Amino acid sequence: EKHYPFESDPELPAHAEGSSSELTRANVERVLDEVRPYLIADGGNVELVDIVDKTVRLQLQGACGSCPASTTTMSMGIKRRLKEEIPSIEEVEEIASEKDPGLPLTAESVEKVLADIRPYLEGAGGGEVGLHAIDSGIVKVKLEGPVKGIMTIRVAITQKLRENIPDILAVQIV
């Protein structure tokens, strides 16, 4: 079962009652490292931009930066987790991304991203990747060969597509 950082997750470490961390860059990064796998699985990430006084400034990246649920992810997930672990944080601000809006959701764009991925498949054991279909924002990618069963390859393909084409709602490996 998949948990998100804004749900109660028994696998995430919790500090003992009365125990908390200082507001340092290293401690903020440690907490962010706990939620990053959830963001990366959905094609995104989070970057610590700055800490000013007791305010932490973060930027959502990749698919998270353009996702309709990004406000919920930031407020109920990342902010909540940071304040639980580092109670001295007074505010967590999201810094808007000024990066390239990404590629449009077209077959040509998907093939362009997959072309960048193909050389890495050889180094990972060999295989082929190609566009199978685009259906209502869901990109179906055909993965064949020895790499088909390697979860990190499947996650990397999903992440790279969603990072470069923010309008993708989901990626299915078929």
Side-chain angles (χ1 to χ4, degrees), residues 91-170:
E91 188 58 52
V92 178
E93 292 178 355
E94 180 179 357
I95 305 298
S97 175
E98 296 175 15
K99 293 183 179 177
D100 181 354
L103 298 170
L105 178 52
T106 63
E108 293 78 22
S109 296
V110 172
E111 282 297 343
K112 181 180 186 311
V113 174
L114 294 178
D116 292 341
I117 294 170
R118 286 185 181 106
Y120 297 102
L121 296 181
E122 284 306 313
E128 294 293 323
V129 65
L131 175 62
H132 179 70
I134 299 174
D135 183 19
S136 302
I138 299 171
V139 174
K140 297 178 182 180
V141 175
K142 187 168 184 99
L143 183 61
E144 298 177 317
V147 296
K148 185 173 184 169
I150 302 174
M151 185 55 68
T152 54
I153 297 292
R154 298 168 72 92
V155 169
I157 290 169
T158 299
Q159 179 181 358
K160 204 68 169 157
L161 283 166
R162 295 193 71 194
E163 185 178 285
N164 286 283
I165 308 170
D167 291 338
I168 292 176
L169 298 177

Side-chain angles (χ1 to χ4, degrees), residues 39-56:
L39 302 174
I40 290 169
D42 286 332
N45 205 342
V46 63
E47 176 188 356
L48 172 58
V49 176
D50 201 6
I51 300 173
V52 178
D53 298 320
K54 294 180 184 231
T55 298
V56 175

Side-chain angles (χ1 to χ4, degrees), residues 19-41:
S19 167
S20 62
S21 299
E22 280 183 63
L23 177 53
T24 65
R25 191 167 194 86
N27 285 337
V28 170
E29 285 289 359
R30 179 186 50 76
V31 175
L32 293 178
D33 285 344
E34 293 173 7
V35 298
R36 277 191 175 106
Y38 303 100
L39 302 174
I40 290 169

